[in-house]
Each structure stands twice: as C-alpha cells, then as structure tokens.
Amino acid sequence: MCQTGCFEMTATAQDATFMQRALHLAQQGQGRVEPNPMVGCVITRDGAIVGEGFHTAYGKSHAEVEAIQAAGTTAKGGSLYVNLEPCCHQGKTPPCTRAIMAAGLKRVIVGNEDPFDQVAGGGLAELRAAGIDVVTGIAASAASKLNAPYFHRLATGRPWVIAKWAMTLDGKIATGTGESRWISSEPSREIVHRLRGRVDAVIIGSRTALADDPLLTARPAGPRLATRIILDSNAALSLESQLAKTAGESLVLVVTGPAATAEATKNLAEKGCEILQLADNDPGVRLQLLLSELGKRGMANLLVEGGSQLLGSFFDQGLINEVHTFIAPILLGGNGLSAIGGHGVEKMAESWKLEDLQVEQTGGDIYLQGRLPQPKNPGNVTLRHPS
C-alpha cells in the first residue's frame, strides 16, 4: 500500500478543496443511506469539476457511479475524489472499482479506507493494479468524523448512541413533581424532531413512558421512520398509552426483563408491540445485549431521550457516543430531577469530556453538541453485508 512518502509526492494543493466538496455531498445522504456509509464523489478534469454525485439511499447507486454518469465521457483521463474507499465486491450494486476503470479515470483520491471485510483495502489495491494513481488520507479526519457511526458499528457490532436532553440552567430536567413540559424552546424541539427523523430508533425508559405518555415520532416526518423502544422490565406499558395505541403505525419495541409475565407481554403484543425479552437479571448487561441485537438488525444510530435513570445507565455502561443538550435560561432549584442519574463518577479526572464541541443559540436556549472519545481498538465484529 502507498505509505506516507507516496502520499506526499502525489497529493496536490487542490485535493483538499475537492475532497471537502465530496464530504459536503456525502452528508446529504444522512438518514437515507444507513446502514451504509455516507459517501460523496467529485470528478475533475484539468482542475474543473465535470461530475459529482452522492449515495442517495440504501440500495441505490453508489456515489462514484452517480458522479461517473454525471460526467459522461469527460471523466476519461480525469481525477475522482471520494471520501471512502470504492467498493470492490458485488452487493446490492456492482463494484465501484469496475465503473471507475471502465470510465478511464487516471487518478483516485480517497479520504478513508473502508474497514468492511469485503473491501478493507481491496478496492485501492484493485485500482492500483489497473494502473490508476491512488492517493489516500486526504481530509481523513473529517471523513472519519462524518462516518463515525458506520465505523463504530463495524468495530463493535452496536449502533452509534446519541444522548439527548433538555435541562434548566441549574441542571434539572424536571421539577420535583416530575413536570418537564416545556423546558426547551420550540426551535429546540424542532431540532429534536429532526434528530428523530434521521435515526433508526428512539429509546426511553418506562418511567418516562408513564410520566410523559410520548409518541416519540418525528414531526414532520424525516427520511427514516424510527423504531420506538421502551425499556420496561415488567412489560407495564399502559395499553392506553399513545405508544401502544399507535404500535400498528410504526414499530414499538418493548424490551423486558425476566420478571415480565406472559400475560403482560401477550397483552402488549396484541396491541401490535414487538416484545424483546432479555433473560439477564442485570440491567446493565441487558443494555449491552440490546445494543448488540439492534446492531444485528442493521441499526446505525440510536437516540436516547432519557430520563435521568436511563441516561445514567447508558453513561455508566460507557455506551454513549454523542451528546445533544439544550440548556434553557430558567432555574428550578429545590429537588428537581438532575439530567444524568446512575452511579456517575467519583473523581473529576474520571468525568466524561466532550470533544468536537459545537455551541449555538436556538430560540432562547443554548444548544450544545459533542462527542465522547471512542476506544482506539474495539475489535472487529462480523455484521451483515452493507452495499
């Protein structure tokens, strides 16, 4: 493979600019392509863009094919920029490497290699063997961040977990009586609906289901229809709840423990809920088992909406990857409920520190989002074939 020295000799000053364009295109597939990665592609000839495209939906043409079709015969002799290594295997679509060679492209610039076991450098090797000049590592950090959920699922077998909550300036998500509507502003709630509309599943605990009786749907609807998941050890979700009443419209998955009775699970199943009964008595182990199951189902992104106990459990288990928090300029004081329960940490040095922090104002709130550091070598897990 081409090492650092080769990269330095073959990269040009324009490569980063065109790769940024490819990344911008790739992001337009968010919420539509998962569990596939987001991929954008730009083709240039003599320093000018002659074709571009992105992966628009799962099962549809890949970004390289879209860009090649847009460029037509002008692609011959040109350069192709793509944020992820072109595939070299037959999936739902033919190998992109074959399309690149057939188009007569002379140079391919790649942001990240694809760790998927049917690619894993094979696409780059195939292109080099065909005499195409291949450059890797352009805008690699930005490309890695864009497809972090894809890389995470391949490495761990679990979906990328996003924690979301709204809290007051003194860190409360509800009053002492449990009232929480509404802490955040309407513009903040619109952002939450957009989040729901691009993830595979939204999860809450049984206490939140009882206290808020939420629908957990995206309004307006987004590109994905999220599975609504309730962690409910005893299968006690009310048959008159909005979730149970709408189970036939979009999937409601009730995750129970070993104590749930056959009658309780039968009643919910008759309302249209899917029941997933996890036999382990340890709630933390059940969370791990649940995420592994969701990964096997092809889920790439999971939104945890709380409340305090559930968020604390996810943090205690080290399962949170990304945080979205809305801080409202109001104060509750007293015995209001804190945002994150669970065991927490005992020392400041053990605290969870966000990276890639972004802060903006939305309505009257402060919207803060960031990511938690990820394990460097979590180990690869075999998953079903993306395409």
Side-chain angles (χ1 to χ4, degrees), residues 152 158 161 231 280-291 309-321 340-345 352 372-375:
H152 175 77
R158 302 191 300 261
V161 180
L231 293 189
D280 201 286
N281 286 308
D282 186 329
V285 173
R286 291 206 297 270
L287 274 186
Q288 300 275 357
L289 292 172
L290 172 61
L291 292 193
Q309 182 179 3
L310 182 61
L311 285 167
S313 297
F314 268 89
F315 273 101
D316 286 344
Q317 292 293 316
L319 297 174
I320 298 296
N321 304 109
I340 302 174
H343 298 296
V345 299
W352 300 290
L372 291 170
Q374 303 304 306

Side-chain angles (χ1 to χ4, degrees), residues 235-303:
L237 179 68
S238 170
L239 300 179
E240 298 303 313
S241 66
Q242 291 194 90
L243 289 165
K245 287 181 176 180
T246 61
E249 300 170 18
S250 64
L251 181 62
V252 172
L253 177 63
V254 180
V255 182
T256 73
T261 66
E263 181 181 3
T265 57
K266 176 177 178 290
N267 289 338
L268 286 171
E270 288 177 348
K271 296 289 284 188
C273 300
E274 179 185 350
I275 308 299
L276 176 62
Q277 190 159 21
L278 300 174
D280 201 286
N281 286 308
D282 186 329
V285 173
R286 291 206 297 270
L287 274 186
Q288 300 275 357
L289 292 172
L290 172 61
L291 292 193
S292 295
E293 171 63 23
L294 298 181
K296 291 175 184 176
R297 294 186 182 200
M299 293 191 183
N301 293 282
L302 169 67
L303 179 62

Side-chain angles (χ1 to χ4, degrees), residues 43-99:
I43 295 175
T44 67
R45 182 87 178 270
D46 300 323
I49 295 176
V50 296
E52 58 184 30
F54 64 96
H55 187 29
T56 58
Y58 181 72
K60 300 294 185 181
S61 297
H62 287 190
E64 299 94 322
V65 173
E66 291 286 327
I68 289 169
Q69 289 177 346
T73 57
T74 60
K76 188 173 183 179
S79 297
L80 180 145
Y81 295 82
V82 63
N83 59 291
L84 191 69
E85 176 181 3
C87 66
C88 53
H89 64 284
Q90 176 70 47
K92 288 185 178 295
T93 59
C96 290
T97 50
R98 304 292 173 83

Side-chain angles (χ1 to χ4, degrees), residues 95-106:
C96 290
T97 50
R98 304 292 173 83
I100 290 170
M101 290 185 284
L105 287 148
K106 296 299 183 184

Side-chain angles (χ1 to χ4, degrees), residues 90-325:
Q90 176 70 47
K92 288 185 178 295
T93 59
C96 290
T97 50
R98 304 292 173 83
I100 290 170
M101 290 185 284
L105 287 148
K106 296 299 183 184
R107 191 166 178 265
V108 173
I109 301 89
V110 176
N112 293 148
E113 292 188 20
D114 188 346
F116 182 58
D117 59 5
Q118 289 185 270
V119 185
L124 302 179
E126 190 172 308
L127 294 173
R128 289 191 176 108
I132 296 173
D133 182 22
V134 176
V135 182
T136 60
I138 298 293
S141 178
S144 295
K145 290 175 184 176
L146 177 69
N147 275 317
Y150 171 73
F151 296 132
H152 175 77
R153 181 172 169 269
L154 286 182
T156 67
R158 302 191 300 261
W160 182 263
V161 180
I162 304 166
K164 163 265 161 184
W165 68 89
M167 66 182 181
T168 64
L169 196 57
D170 54 342
K172 303 296 194 292
I173 62 171
T175 67
T177 62
E179 184 182 350
S180 61
R181 293 183 177 176
W182 294 103
I183 287 176
S184 59
S185 65
E186 186 173 344
S188 295
R189 298 196 296 274
E190 289 174 358
I191 293 173
V192 174
H193 281 285
R194 290 199 294 271
L195 276 171
R196 287 180 182 174
R198 70 168 179 83
V199 300
D200 296 290
V202 179
I203 185 169
I204 61 171
S206 56
R207 293 182 184 181
T208 299
L210 176 63
D212 295 346
D213 190 23
L215 267 175
L216 299 182
T217 54
R219 301 182 294 276
R224 298 187 91 73
L225 183 61
T227 295
R228 298 171 290 169
I229 302 176
I230 302 89
L231 293 189
D232 188 1
S233 297
N234 297 311
L237 179 68
S238 170
L239 300 179
E240 298 303 313
S241 66
Q242 291 194 90
L243 289 165
K245 287 181 176 180
T246 61
E249 300 170 18
S250 64
L251 181 62
V252 172
L253 177 63
V254 180
V255 182
T256 73
T261 66
E263 181 181 3
T265 57
K266 176 177 178 290
N267 289 338
L268 286 171
E270 288 177 348
K271 296 289 284 188
C273 300
E274 179 185 350
I275 308 299
L276 176 62
Q277 190 159 21
L278 300 174
D280 201 286
N281 286 308
D282 186 329
V285 173
R286 291 206 297 270
L287 274 186
Q288 300 275 357
L289 292 172
L290 172 61
L291 292 193
S292 295
E293 171 63 23
L294 298 181
K296 291 175 184 176
R297 294 186 182 200
M299 293 191 183
N301 293 282
L302 169 67
L303 179 62
V304 181
E305 293 209 19
S308 178
Q309 182 179 3
L310 182 61
L311 285 167
S313 297
F314 268 89
F315 273 101
D316 286 344
Q317 292 293 316
L319 297 174
I320 298 296
N321 304 109
E322 185 174 329
V323 170
H324 291 247
T325 304

